[in-house]
Amino acid sequence: MSSASFKWGSSGLAYLTGRPDGPADFSRANVLARAERVAAALGDRLCIGVDAATLLTGRAALLGLSRAGRMSAGGATRLLKAADGWWAVTLSRPDDVAAVPALIQASEAPADTWLALQRWAATRSVTAIVDRAALLDIPAAGLGEAAARPPSIRPTGGRASPRAAAGLLVADLSSMWAGPLCGALLARAGATVVKVESPRRPDGTRAGNPAFFDWVNGEKLSYSIDFDGQAGELRELLAAADIVIEGTRPAALARRRLGPDHVPARPGRIWLRISGFDDHRPAFGDDAAVAGGLVGTAAEGPVFCGDAIADPLTGLEAALEVAQSLGRGGGELIHASMAAVAATYAALPTEASQAPHPAPPPRPPAPSTPAPALGADNDAVRRLVSERRCAPC
């Protein structure tokens, strides 16, 4: 077997891929090989060490997750059979669960949500299922529906001289994993990263495992602001930032005139937009991976690959895009789709699904700095913005 297969097994990724009652799956070993190349290029540009295996398996290690076949390692997403193929649906939010009766056209909530979904989907096409889920804002995707493509880049004018990340101001409006991971890597490179959250709807991972939240947010300042009532103040932060990381739907910011076309930019500003798809459909890491076709193999059909793997892969790829943009002088809008990133990795050659190598569980990352409480750094952020507004660019 190849060295890629050995690394896949020792990283914990094989442990996270395959049936829970079967052997570990080594078929996607080249995913880690490419991620390591991206990590090396990113590390060279940002002058930091980047361990791809830890980025891809860190959450599972911190949460004690293991492979679960057609249920995602985190438990919120399932792979289900439709009349003409496979699809995935994520029910991680209360609103998603509440919308299931409308999805399956039932008069009341089913006793067993997953069984009801399985029976309903069995007689319908993947396209019809995904289209109906999109109408109800439920994260769902057909297996392999997304095409591989690199993040898109649109010049926005006002380039600066090539520069490093150290000393730059980053406004991180993203949540969950992909965007926050990109912000965390920039913070490690010396940037001042401000995590922006609404007090009414903070990052959902803040209420989850604190070790994971600390891992991707511990080196950031916490800035809590009402996106509606304090839009003017938020606009000042975005205008002062050298890099903006956006993980919300573009329409949500545009409606408040907080998008990249509405906020005055410093020379060389980079605006990174991370979404699940090219359109406005919601997505999480596991269903986005399925959309890209990034799944493991089993005799009975596809199984989940890794843990929400489209999230850390996108965070890693996006960070490299930002670092490369800094080298060009910035002045760009970068759009990374998690499904497209997953499809890029799914297109890599596969290997034999079984290997003689052991498949130990992933190792947790090093202990992290505790993340600040919500809004703990509001005054400090306001001072930073004021200083930048008064200083020449």
Side-chain angles (χ1 to χ4, degrees), residues 296-353:
T297 59
E300 302 82 3
V303 292
F304 283 103
C305 176
D307 168 36
I309 198 166
D311 265 310
L313 287 177
T314 303
L316 180 61
E317 294 275 348
L320 179 58
E321 292 290 341
V322 170
Q324 291 173 335
S325 182
L326 287 172
R328 294 189 294 267
E332 296 176 335
L333 169 63
I334 301 169
H335 179 200
S337 154
M338 292 199 298
V341 169
T344 300
Y345 280 82
L348 297 171
T350 56
E351 300 208 354
S353 60

Coordinates of all heavy atoms in Angstrom, one line a residue, residues 296-353:
G296 N -16.9 7.7 1.5 CA -16.2 6.4 1.6 C -17.0 5.3 0.8 O -18.1 5.5 0.4
T297 N -16.4 4.1 0.7 CA -17.0 3.1 0.0 C -17.3 1.9 0.9 O -16.6 1.6 1.8 CB -16.1 2.6 -1.2 OG1 -14.8 2.1 -0.6 CG2 -15.8 3.7 -2.1
A298 N -18.4 1.3 0.6 CA -18.8 0.0 1.3 C -19.6 -0.8 0.3 O -20.1 -0.3 -0.7 CB -19.7 0.3 2.5
A299 N -19.7 -2.1 0.5 CA -20.4 -3.0 -0.4 C -21.8 -2.6 -0.6 O -22.4 -2.7 -1.7 CB -20.3 -4.4 0.1
E300 N -22.4 -2.1 0.4 CA -23.9 -1.7 0.3 C -24.1 -0.3 -0.2 O -25.3 0.1 -0.3 CB -24.5 -1.9 1.7 CG -24.4 -3.3 2.3 CD -23.0 -3.6 3.0 OE1 -22.2 -2.6 3.0 OE2 -22.8 -4.7 3.4
G301 N -23.1 0.5 -0.5 CA -23.3 1.8 -0.9 C -22.3 2.8 -0.2 O -21.5 2.4 0.6
P302 N -22.5 4.1 -0.4 CA -21.6 5.1 0.2 C -21.8 5.2 1.7 O -22.8 4.9 2.3 CB -22.1 6.4 -0.5 CG -23.5 6.2 -0.8 CD -23.6 4.7 -1.2
V303 N -20.7 5.7 2.3 CA -20.7 6.0 3.7 C -20.0 7.3 3.9 O -19.3 7.8 3.0 CB -19.9 4.9 4.6 CG1 -20.7 3.6 4.6 CG2 -18.5 4.7 4.0
F304 N -20.1 7.9 5.1 CA -19.5 9.2 5.3 C -18.0 9.1 5.4 O -17.4 8.1 5.9 CB -20.0 9.9 6.6 CG -21.4 10.5 6.4 CD1 -22.5 9.8 6.9 CD2 -21.6 11.7 5.7 CE1 -23.8 10.3 6.7 CE2 -22.8 12.2 5.5 CZ -23.9 11.5 6.0
C305 N -17.3 10.1 4.9 CA -15.8 10.2 4.9 C -15.4 11.2 5.9 O -15.8 12.4 5.9 CB -15.4 10.6 3.5 SG -13.6 10.9 3.4
G306 N -14.7 10.7 6.9 CA -14.2 11.6 8.0 C -15.3 12.3 8.8 O -16.4 11.7 8.9
D307 N -15.0 13.4 9.3 CA -16.0 14.1 10.1 C -16.2 15.5 9.5 O -15.3 16.4 9.6 CB -15.4 14.3 11.6 CG -16.2 15.3 12.4 OD1 -17.5 15.3 12.3 OD2 -15.6 16.0 13.2
A308 N -17.4 15.7 9.0 CA -17.8 17.0 8.4 C -16.6 17.6 7.5 O -16.3 18.7 7.5 CB -18.1 18.0 9.5
I309 N -16.0 16.7 6.7 CA -14.7 16.9 6.1 C -14.7 18.1 5.1 O -13.7 18.8 4.9 CB -14.2 15.7 5.4 CG1 -12.7 15.8 5.1 CG2 -15.0 15.4 4.1 CD1 -12.1 14.4 4.8
A310 N -15.8 18.5 4.6 CA -15.9 19.7 3.7 C -15.6 20.9 4.4 O -15.1 21.9 3.9 CB -17.2 19.8 3.0
D311 N -15.8 21.0 5.7 CA -15.6 22.2 6.5 C -14.1 22.4 6.6 O -13.6 23.5 6.2 CB -16.2 22.0 7.9 CG -17.5 22.7 8.0 OD1 -17.7 23.8 7.6 OD2 -18.5 22.0 8.5
P312 N -13.3 21.5 7.2 CA -11.8 21.8 7.4 C -11.1 21.9 6.0 O -10.2 22.7 5.9 CB -11.3 20.7 8.3 CG -12.3 19.6 8.1 CD -13.6 20.2 7.9
L313 N -11.5 21.1 5.0 CA -10.9 21.2 3.7 C -11.1 22.6 3.2 O -10.2 23.2 2.6 CB -11.4 20.2 2.8 CG -11.0 18.7 3.0 CD1 -11.7 17.8 2.0 CD2 -9.5 18.6 2.9
T314 N -12.3 23.2 3.3 CA -12.6 24.5 2.8 C -11.9 25.6 3.6 O -11.3 26.5 3.0 CB -14.1 24.8 2.8 OG1 -14.8 23.7 2.0 CG2 -14.4 26.1 2.2
G315 N -11.8 25.4 4.9 CA -11.1 26.4 5.7 C -9.6 26.4 5.3 O -9.0 27.5 5.2
L316 N -9.0 25.3 5.1 CA -7.6 25.2 4.7 C -7.4 25.8 3.3 O -6.5 26.6 3.1 CB -7.2 23.7 4.7 CG -5.7 23.4 4.3 CD1 -4.8 24.1 5.3 CD2 -5.5 21.9 4.3
E317 N -8.2 25.4 2.3 CA -8.1 25.9 1.0 C -8.3 27.4 0.9 O -7.6 28.2 0.2 CB -9.1 25.2 0.0 CG -8.8 23.7 -0.2 CD -7.8 23.5 -1.3 OE1 -7.5 24.4 -2.1 OE2 -7.4 22.3 -1.4
A318 N -9.3 27.9 1.7 CA -9.6 29.3 1.7 C -8.5 30.1 2.3 O -8.2 31.2 1.8 CB -10.9 29.6 2.5
A319 N -7.9 29.6 3.3 CA -6.7 30.3 4.0 C -5.6 30.5 3.0 O -4.9 31.5 2.9 CB -6.3 29.6 5.2
L320 N -5.3 29.4 2.2 CA -4.3 29.5 1.2 C -4.7 30.6 0.1 O -3.8 31.3 -0.3 CB -4.1 28.2 0.5 CG -3.0 28.2 -0.6 CD1 -1.6 28.6 -0.1 CD2 -2.9 26.8 -1.2
E321 N -5.9 30.6 -0.3 CA -6.4 31.6 -1.3 C -6.1 33.0 -0.7 O -5.7 33.9 -1.4 CB -7.8 31.4 -1.6 CG -8.1 30.2 -2.4 CD -7.6 30.2 -3.8 OE1 -7.3 31.3 -4.3 OE2 -7.5 29.1 -4.4
V322 N -6.4 33.2 0.6 CA -6.2 34.6 1.2 C -4.7 34.9 1.2 O -4.3 36.0 0.9 CB -6.8 34.6 2.6 CG1 -6.4 35.9 3.3 CG2 -8.4 34.5 2.5
A323 N -3.9 33.9 1.6 CA -2.5 34.1 1.7 C -1.9 34.5 0.3 O -1.1 35.4 0.2 CB -1.8 32.9 2.3
Q324 N -2.4 33.8 -0.7 CA -1.9 34.1 -2.1 C -2.4 35.5 -2.5 O -1.7 36.2 -3.2 CB -2.4 33.0 -3.0 CG -1.7 31.7 -2.8 CD -2.3 30.6 -3.7 OE1 -3.5 30.6 -4.0 NE2 -1.6 29.5 -3.9
S325 N -3.6 35.8 -2.1 CA -4.1 37.2 -2.5 C -3.3 38.3 -1.8 O -3.0 39.3 -2.4 CB -5.6 37.3 -2.1 OG -6.1 38.5 -2.4
L326 N -2.9 38.0 -0.6 CA -2.0 39.0 0.1 C -0.7 39.2 -0.7 O -0.2 40.3 -0.8 CB -1.7 38.5 1.5 CG -2.8 38.6 2.5 CD1 -2.4 37.9 3.8 CD2 -3.1 40.1 2.8
G327 N -0.2 38.1 -1.3 CA 1.0 38.2 -2.1 C 0.8 39.0 -3.4 O 1.7 39.5 -3.9
R328 N -0.5 39.1 -3.9 CA -0.8 39.8 -5.1 C -1.2 41.3 -4.8 O -1.4 42.1 -5.7 CB -2.0 39.2 -5.8 CG -1.7 37.8 -6.4 CD -2.8 37.3 -7.3 NE -4.0 37.1 -6.6 CZ -4.4 35.9 -6.1 NH1 -3.6 34.9 -6.2 NH2 -5.6 35.8 -5.4
G329 N -1.3 41.6 -3.5 CA -1.7 42.9 -3.1 C -3.2 43.0 -2.8 O -3.7 44.1 -2.6
G330 N -3.9 41.9 -2.8 CA -5.3 41.9 -2.4 C -6.2 42.6 -3.3 O -6.1 42.6 -4.5
G331 N -7.2 43.3 -2.8 CA -8.2 44.0 -3.6 C -9.1 43.0 -4.3 O -9.4 43.2 -5.5
E332 N -9.5 41.9 -3.6 CA -10.2 40.8 -4.3 C -11.4 40.3 -3.4 O -11.3 40.3 -2.2 CB -9.3 39.7 -4.6 CG -8.2 40.0 -5.6 CD -7.2 38.9 -5.8 OE1 -7.0 38.1 -4.9 OE2 -6.5 38.9 -6.9
L333 N -12.4 39.8 -4.1 CA -13.5 39.1 -3.5 C -13.3 37.6 -3.9 O -13.3 37.2 -5.0 CB -14.9 39.5 -4.0 CG -16.1 38.7 -3.6 CD1 -16.3 38.6 -2.1 CD2 -17.3 39.1 -4.3
I334 N -13.1 36.7 -2.9 CA -12.8 35.3 -3.1 C -14.1 34.6 -2.6 O -14.5 34.7 -1.5 CB -11.6 34.9 -2.3 CG1 -10.4 35.6 -2.7 CG2 -11.4 33.4 -2.5 CD1 -9.2 35.4 -1.8
H335 N -14.6 33.7 -3.4 CA -15.8 32.9 -3.1 C -15.4 31.4 -3.1 O -15.1 30.9 -4.2 CB -16.9 33.2 -4.0 CG -18.2 32.4 -3.7 ND1 -19.2 32.2 -4.6 CD2 -18.5 31.7 -2.5 CE1 -20.1 31.4 -4.0 NE2 -19.8 31.1 -2.8
A336 N -15.5 30.8 -2.0 CA -15.2 29.3 -1.9 C -16.5 28.6 -1.5 O -17.1 28.9 -0.5 CB -14.1 29.1 -0.8
S337 N -16.8 27.6 -2.3 CA -18.0 26.8 -2.1 C -17.5 25.4 -1.5 O -16.7 24.8 -2.0 CB -18.7 26.5 -3.4 OG -19.4 25.3 -3.4
M338 N -18.1 25.1 -0.3 CA -17.7 23.8 0.3 C -18.0 22.6 -0.5 O -17.2 21.7 -0.6 CB -18.4 23.7 1.7 CG -18.0 24.7 2.7 SD -18.5 24.1 4.4 CE -20.2 24.0 4.3
A339 N -19.1 22.6 -1.3 CA -19.4 21.5 -2.1 C -18.4 21.4 -3.3 O -18.0 20.3 -3.6 CB -20.8 21.6 -2.7
A340 N -18.0 22.5 -3.8 CA -17.0 22.5 -4.9 C -15.7 22.0 -4.5 O -15.0 21.3 -5.2 CB -17.0 23.9 -5.6
V341 N -15.3 22.5 -3.3 CA -14.0 22.0 -2.7 C -14.1 20.5 -2.5 O -13.1 19.8 -2.8 CB -13.7 22.8 -1.4 CG1 -12.5 22.1 -0.6 CG2 -13.4 24.2 -1.6
A342 N -15.2 20.0 -1.9 CA -15.3 18.6 -1.7 C -15.2 17.8 -3.0 O -14.6 16.8 -3.1 CB -16.6 18.3 -1.0
A343 N -15.8 18.4 -4.1 CA -15.8 17.7 -5.4 C -14.4 17.7 -5.9 O -14.0 16.7 -6.6 CB -16.7 18.4 -6.3
T344 N -13.6 18.7 -5.6 CA -12.2 18.7 -6.1 C -11.4 17.6 -5.4 O -10.6 16.9 -6.1 CB -11.6 20.1 -5.7 OG1 -12.3 21.1 -6.4 CG2 -10.1 20.1 -6.1
Y345 N -11.6 17.4 -4.2 CA -10.9 16.3 -3.5 C -11.5 14.9 -3.9 O -10.8 13.9 -3.9 CB -11.0 16.5 -2.0 CG -10.0 17.5 -1.4 CD1 -10.3 18.8 -1.5 CD2 -8.8 17.0 -0.9 CE1 -9.3 19.8 -1.0 CE2 -7.9 17.9 -0.4 CZ -8.2 19.3 -0.5 OH -7.2 20.2 0.0
A346 N -12.8 14.9 -4.2 CA -13.4 13.6 -4.6 C -12.9 13.1 -5.9 O -12.9 11.9 -6.2 CB -14.9 13.7 -4.6
A347 N -12.4 14.1 -6.7 CA -11.9 13.7 -8.1 C -10.5 13.1 -8.0 O -10.0 12.6 -9.0 CB -11.9 15.0 -8.9
L348 N -9.9 13.1 -6.9 CA -8.5 12.5 -6.7 C -8.7 11.0 -6.9 O -9.7 10.4 -6.5 CB -7.9 12.8 -5.4 CG -7.6 14.3 -5.1 CD1 -7.2 14.5 -3.7 CD2 -6.6 14.8 -6.0
P349 N -7.6 10.3 -7.4 CA -7.7 8.8 -7.5 C -7.9 8.2 -6.2 O -7.4 8.6 -5.1 CB -6.3 8.5 -8.1 CG -5.8 9.7 -8.7 CD -6.3 10.9 -7.9
T350 N -8.7 7.1 -6.2 CA -9.0 6.4 -4.9 C -8.0 5.2 -4.8 O -7.4 4.8 -5.8 CB -10.4 5.8 -4.9 OG1 -10.6 5.1 -6.1 CG2 -11.4 7.0 -4.9
E351 N -7.9 4.7 -3.6 CA -7.0 3.5 -3.4 C -7.9 2.3 -2.9 O -9.1 2.4 -2.8 CB -6.0 3.8 -2.3 CG -5.1 5.0 -2.7 CD -3.7 4.9 -2.1 OE1 -3.5 4.0 -1.2 OE2 -2.9 5.8 -2.5
A352 N -7.3 1.2 -2.7 CA -8.0 0.1 -2.2 C -8.7 0.4 -0.9 O -8.1 1.2 0.0 CB -7.1 -1.1 -2.0
S353 N -9.9 -0.1 -0.6 CA -10.6 0.4 0.5 C -10.1 -0.2 1.8 O -10.2 0.3 2.9 CB -12.1 0.0 0.4 OG -12.2 -1.4 0.3

